[in-house]
Amino acid sequence: MERRESLKETIHIYHTNDLHSHFENWPRIRGFLKKRKRWHEEAGESVFIFDIGDYVDRSHPMTEGTLGKGNIALLNEAGYDAVTIGNNEGITLPREGLDILYENALFPVALANLFYDSGERPKWAAPSCLFDLPNGMKMGITGATAFFSGAYEQLGWKLSPPVEELNAQVKELSKEADIIVILSHLGIHEDERIAHEIPEADVVLGAHTHHLLHEGKEVDGTLLAAAGRFGYYVGHVMIEVDTETKQIIAKKARVYKTAEELSAPVDEQMEIDKYIKEGKQSLSQPVISLPAPLSSDWFAPSQLPGILCEGLREWCGADGAFLNAGLLLGGLESGTVTKYDIHKVLPHPINPCLIELSGTELREILKQTTDDKWPHMVIKGLGFRGQVMGRFVYDRLGIDMDRYLFTIDGIEIENDKLYKLATVDMFAYGQFFPQIYRAPVKNHFMPEFLRDVMEWKLLHLDFHLEE
């Protein structure tokens, strides 16, 4: 008897990750995804669009003004089929903000490892989802977000270890699903671990570490795929299946470079500008009227960094404070200052941080801040949305390197005494200052950002200021 040739079909998955509200790339991405979805559906092929988290970033005024809901409307419009969350959705929004972020979403949020501190799963998050394909096969998806357990707990959430949670979800999905896809906002190393430890996973769509896999990467039979950051690329995974045996025949991945391979709509710049205008409008509430402008300079003494540093010390209840002037992206003009103006100056999702240190440790940190390498150092990541570190600014901290004298409020720092230092949390996460990074007592103020401290300080400012 002649053997009948098997019926083959390709399932298409398009994926984005770590867009971080870079809407300057969004018009091309949305147009491309809608076109491709229509194209595959007209050809009778199954097609899905997933986002792997950090689509929301409060550094963009539209995202800040809508607390991310404007972003979700854009995902709806583009026809996304499912998403997971990144740490920007998870810990830069207050708990009540995340709880309502997806209330108008037209897609499920696949998120297996997030719980309320009571142990219940939030109603807006599904630990897994099952999609029925027209060819009779089933595709299961699950997702997880990065294990920043301390930050989540401070906001009233609870995380379970992501790989263990994914393993449990995949074991359940494999009872019904013919194809299993994991949405992983965990980073490339954890994705590789998933491939080693969860053999049932067919595809892992990655994020968080902003890695780019041009043609994917196969690890122990699992295909890893990722599309970099900021919408510079869109990912595309193709899964070829035998619809009779319901088996996967082949898997491959590629990416499309947004600037070169995705066509621009005719009104591209108008749309990009519209998102800024919407944000400006939603943040138009006046905060204060300034009788004179407040200057900001990355490399020379100026007013606004000093005001923020003083406010940081007061907010945290510290003995002294320091920060880098590069955090301030501009000054404030005289007259009415709005929430938009403050956001524009301090767009970072960076929190105040209070650290307890010995006098010996504090002296060493202050000595390190005098190094000439800092002002022009380019900084990437850690929530920083500026360009360079800038000069260090101090409040109640004194440094006299000629006499090797370090003081707090004019009194010499004692080696064995404990002090409370206020600074920004990027120094607690990054290894700029080992003594801060290793400090056992660190209190992160969440969900407040530096701009909240600035707004509070401006409202309590004594306007008898001198240049």
Side-chain angles (χ1 to χ4, degrees), residues 202-215:
D202 297 300
V203 176
V204 177
L205 302 177
H208 186 50
T209 44
H210 297 183
H211 53 289
L212 176 66
L213 301 175
H214 284 276
E215 295 182 337

Side-chain angles (χ1 to χ4, degrees), residues 19 21 185 220 247 257 358 370 389-390 427 442 446 465:
L19 197 96
S21 294
H185 196 90
D220 288 354
Q247 297 293 312
K257 193 167 186 177
S358 70
T370 65
M389 181 76 80
F427 294 140
K442 290 193 280 260
M446 301 176 70
L465 298 167

Side-chain angles (χ1 to χ4, degrees), residues 317-381:
D319 299 307
F322 79 82
L323 52 78
N324 55 304
L327 287 163
L328 283 294
L329 303 193
L332 294 174
E333 299 297 324
S334 59
T336 301
V337 173
T338 66
K339 286 182 176 289
Y340 173 78
D341 296 321
I342 297 174
H343 179 273
K344 191 175 180 180
V345 168
L346 288 163
H348 328 275
I350 289 179
N351 307 104
C353 187
L354 182 67
I355 301 137
E356 194 169 286
L357 300 155
S358 70
T360 301
E361 291 169 322
L362 181 54
R363 285 159 62 98
E364 181 58 31
I365 291 165
L366 294 178
K367 177 187 169 185
Q368 290 173 45
T369 65
T370 65
D371 195 313
D372 291 339
K373 71 180 180 182
W374 294 115
H376 294 279
M377 180 184 286
V378 176
I379 308 298
K380 299 291 184 187

